[in-house]
């Protein structure tokens, strides 16, 4: 993870993952809204209380509202998955 | 241009250009800092008072500080150039 830009209210991060999964019992629970863009690769996200995973392809993005618990279920094992995240 | 997410302090935009150039005497002069990521395509930016243009390839990004006058000199004519911009 690399911080590309930041101010008092915003943090823009570049994240690279390969074959990554959050631990089964780990959930991100963030104080800020997060905009996530999948730039390269492929990934699946899960949200607490939701049975379905969300598959992300290049160009897909979403806003994860603050305190929406989520985890990374899967990213491509053989190539880097590149994300841009904006916490705001 | 499409606003993907926004809050009081931040605006996240998806911009698509094809064969685009700002008019010769037009400069963007913005009140906020802007983070720009070139996602797809190719582009060239110019900055007021700087003789060189900045060539952007996919994955290239920069922060344009508020009131740094700049313009788009060129984007690829035959394919869409996709930008992600965060005004913050």
């Amino acid at each position: 993870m690399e911080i590309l830009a930041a101010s008092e209210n915003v943090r823009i991060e570049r994240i690279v993952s390969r074959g990554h999964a959050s631990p089964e019992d780990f959930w991100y629970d963030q104080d800020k809204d997060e905009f996530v863009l999948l730039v390269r690769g492929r990934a699946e996200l899960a949200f607490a209380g939701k049975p379905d995973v969300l598959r992300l392809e290049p160009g897909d993005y979403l806003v994860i509202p603050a305190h929406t618990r989520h985890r990374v279920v899967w990213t491509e094992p053989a190539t880097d998955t590149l994300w841009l995240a904006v916490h705001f």
Side-chain angles (χ1 to χ4, degrees), chain A:
Chain A
M1 195 272 282
E2 182 188 356
I3 297 177
L4 302 183
S7 73
E8 198 182 336
N9 304 303
V10 182
R11 196 173 71 250
I12 303 175
E13 299 171 347
R14 176 184 190 274
I15 301 163
V16 179
S17 7
R18 183 182 285 222
H20 173 74
S22 310
E24 281 288 341
D25 56 352
F26 173 88
W27 297 95
Y28 291 100
D29 185 344
Q30 297 165 321
D31 289 335
K32 288 177 183 283
D33 293 347
E34 179 178 9
F35 168 91
V36 182
L37 169 72
L38 195 141
V39 178
R40 198 168 56 224
R42 250 191 299 265
E44 288 176 355
L45 296 182
F47 296 88
K50 300 272 177 78
D52 296 334
V53 299
L54 178 68
R55 178 70 169 245
L56 296 175
E57 308 271 342
D60 290 344
Y61 65 88
L62 71 159
V63 173
I64 303 172
H67 300 298
T68 299
R69 294 163 68 220
H70 61 284
R71 52 189 293 276
V72 178
V73 177
W74 175 87
T75 71
E76 277 209 349
T79 62
D80 285 346
T81 290
L82 174 62
W83 315 73
L84 188 89
V86 182
H87 302 268
F88 68 103

